[in-house]
Amino acid sequence: MELDLSVDAAALTATLVDAPSVSGDEGPLADAIERALGQLPHLRVERFGNSVVARTGLGRPERVVLAGHIDTVPIAGNVPSHVTGERLYGCGTSDMKSGVAVQLRLAGEVPEPARDVTYVFYDCEEIEAARNGLGQLSRAQPGLLAGDFAVLMEPSGNEIEGGCQGTMRAEVTATGQRAHSARSWMGRNAIHAAGGILDVLRSYQPREPEVDGLRYHEGLNAVGISGGVAGNVIPDRCVVTVNYRFAPDRDIAAAEAHLREVFDQWDVAIVDAAPSARPGLDQGPAASFATAVGGSPRAKLGWTDVARFAELGIPAVNYGPGISEIAHTRDEYVEIPKIGQCEARLRHWLTTP
Amino acid sequence: MELDLSVDAAALTATLVDAPSVSGDEGPLADAIERALGQLPHLRVERFGNSVVARTGLGRPERVVLAGHIDTVPIAGNVPSHVTGERLYGCGTSDMKSGVAVQLRLAGEVPEPARDVTYVFYDCEEIEAARNGLGQLSRAQPGLLAGDFAVLMEPSGNEIEGGCQGTMRAEVTATGQRAHSARSWMGRNAIHAAGGILDVLRSYQPREPEVDGLRYHEGLNAVGISGGVAGNVIPDRCVVTVNYRFAPDRDIAAAEAHLREVFDQWDVAIVDAAPSARPGLDQGPAASFATAVGGSPRAKLGWTDVARFAELGIPAVNYGPGISEIAHTRDEYVEIPKIGQCEARLRHWLTTP
């Protein structure tokens, strides 16, 4: 497969969709990207596993990062792509090969941007966090990701989605005392006791704080419950797994403190956590970007790789032509006019001093 | 192994304990019982799998059944048996080889009882109900179990335990609607909804009815709970498994109707059920037995094989020298004087017209 960066972004999107790259099998697509960009004299291209990083080196006072993952969820009978009206259908059209096409177009067509640009194409975003290509790059070669601001080209309908909420999972455990269920009063039923945990969850009022001008919406929910020893035994243990989605005015430590306070009557064990990221749209290069592309910035409620840039101290936003609501569905599509619109806006931003 | 029925019942108990017969491995012990009883001219002995049935045939107007299971739970370093003071320790001492020893002594030493006697020694009581030897006998050859009254020699400290409570398990299901946990308000959390089921259980007031003069004590408890799709998904289903222990004034149909009424806001699926059995101590041969052995009859709260006799239309009670509270424990023992006391009382009953 060879990529022709001179075709329009919608046609390039179709080419990318028709080159399957399910997580773990991104090799051929990464090869094609590396070859196409390697021919461009204004870019320095480096390969890291199945991730590709291409950088301008114009000595500009500011450097921005445009990042996108090249993998998709498993194909569901929706490859090759097809066009119906103004929609391009297929696996990855929205999430996020249309964004990758825009990256490639800008890399090929804007040889002398007003700000230096680092284009990052990475693998394994749709699977377990440990394999995420951006995460691996940030740990192994953080210098490759250096910059003053980053745009993740995740589907956002060409509206800025700022920051992201953090996520924490914890196991909240109710305990009791075993007994034979024929003499249940000899024990204490831990599942019944877990009703108290569910009471807390049912009456919980999530915060909706405004952070850097954007409104977030937290959530605290049971995502799992498990208890029981045998059909004739009063159980002595019931574990409720809760998921706390926290706004970016809280870091992981504050989120944990909150959970421990809310569930102070029970044993709480933190299972995993991913940090939030502030939108930071009110200052610096992020503010310039917001001005350049316009629209109505909104808060990103889900967790995204934006937080990985935040951990490196780089403000970042999501901005891409896809539609997040239909990502991962069999009927995934992208609105074709949005792809060109995205390219035009970013080109305007990159070329405006 | 050969069984000497002329030694006292405590010594015979020790011999039985020292012949391991964990459920499924009762063959050698069943062989020994069959051989020992087969030498007695006053008994007709029949073998059914690893169960043995021995009957007198004196033409008495009344026939009673003495039944005991010969299997034990797995050995926990507590074989061979040993004596400390007045206690015989070991796996099965209470549950229920001391009762089996009394059966064997009576079978051997009372050749002309005042009522015909059917001695039943059966296998696989301590494991899944489908393999229970008494259940298999009652389905395949119910005539072998025919009688006017039955005594199950389960551990009861030489006090009559009458009837038994029934048991029913049901799955009570709360439903909801899936959503991504970053936007939990787009869904309905089924685990949170299951809090309503736990509310019902926590406020439930169990009945304590008197039936045929004995006081029962019901119970309704969660014995299992399960829900959850993934760590980032609002779950759409949570199943609470409840166990209802019901007094013998309710049959299975009445128990099911009660559960469906209590949980009328949720889907209820009956998983399994075993019937209750009335004590029936106020009339007929059961009343004669109660008079002969004395003591203070009490209600049996757990489910026992008494209910299998009830299903055959045969009144039955538990009566044996063991201690039920320490059955299945590593430190299981039987009080040695209780074994002889049990034998003496039953001998008095069997020989008194």
Side-chain angles (χ1 to χ4, degrees), chain A residues 161 165 169 180-185 189 191-196 198-199 201-202 217-235 238 240 243 245 300-303 324, chain B residues 161 165 169 180-185 189 191-196 198-199 201-202 217-235 238 240 243 245 300-303 324:
Chain A
E161 289 187 330
Q165 294 196 139
R169 281 190 305 146
H180 195 288
S181 65
R183 291 180 189 79
S184 52
W185 52 94
N189 194 316
I191 295 176
H192 296 196
L198 300 186
D199 287 347
L201 291 168
R202 286 192 283 173
H217 192 153
E218 295 195 336
L220 178 60
N221 269 275
V223 292
I225 190 167
S226 165
V229 176
N232 60 352
V233 176
I234 301 302
C238 182
V240 182
N243 181 215
R245 299 281 172 156
K300 183 66 180 175
L301 302 181
W303 194 88
S324 65
Chain B
E161 290 186 331
Q165 294 197 139
R169 281 190 305 146
H180 195 288
S181 65
R183 291 181 188 78
S184 52
W185 52 94
N189 194 316
I191 294 176
H192 296 196
L198 300 187
D199 287 347
L201 291 168
R202 286 192 284 173
H217 192 152
E218 295 195 335
L220 178 61
N221 269 275
V223 292
I225 189 167
S226 164
V229 176
N232 60 350
V233 176
I234 301 302
C238 182
V240 183
N243 181 216
R245 299 280 172 157
K300 183 66 181 176
L301 302 181
W303 194 88
S324 64

Side-chain angles (χ1 to χ4, degrees), chain B residues 1 16-30 69-75 79 91-92 97 123-124 126:
Chain B
M1 173 184 43
L16 294 173
V17 171
D18 297 343
S21 57
V22 175
S23 307
D25 292 321
E26 300 93 336
L29 180 53
H69 64 83
I70 61 174
D71 62 320
T72 69
V73 295
I75 291 165
V79 165
C91 180
K97 288 183 169 176
D123 64 338
C124 292
E126 298 288 8

Side-chain angles (χ1 to χ4, degrees), chain B residues 155-243:
Chain B
S156 74
N158 289 349
E159 293 286 356
I160 294 176
E161 290 186 331
C164 79
Q165 294 197 139
T167 178
M168 174 171 284
R169 281 190 305 146
E171 290 181 349
V172 186
T173 300
T175 57
Q177 189 178 335
R178 287 192 196 187
H180 195 288
S181 65
R183 291 181 188 78
S184 52
W185 52 94
M186 304 289 282
R188 284 181 296 109
N189 194 316
I191 294 176
H192 296 196
I197 298 170
L198 300 187
D199 287 347
V200 168
L201 291 168
R202 286 192 284 173
S203 65
Y204 185 80
Q205 295 294 328
R207 298 191 315 140
E208 299 184 33
E210 190 178 298
V211 184
D212 297 349
L214 299 185
R215 175 75 62 187
Y216 289 84
H217 192 152
E218 295 195 335
L220 178 61
N221 269 275
V223 292
I225 189 167
S226 164
V229 176
N232 60 350
V233 176
I234 301 302
D236 58 351
R237 185 176 153 84
C238 182
V239 179
V240 183
T241 303
V242 301
N243 181 216

Side-chain angles (χ1 to χ4, degrees), chain B residues 269-293:
Chain B
I270 306 300
V271 176
D272 59 26
S276 59
R278 295 186 74 100
L281 292 171
D282 48 358
Q283 55 187 338
S288 307
F289 175 77
T291 302
V293 302

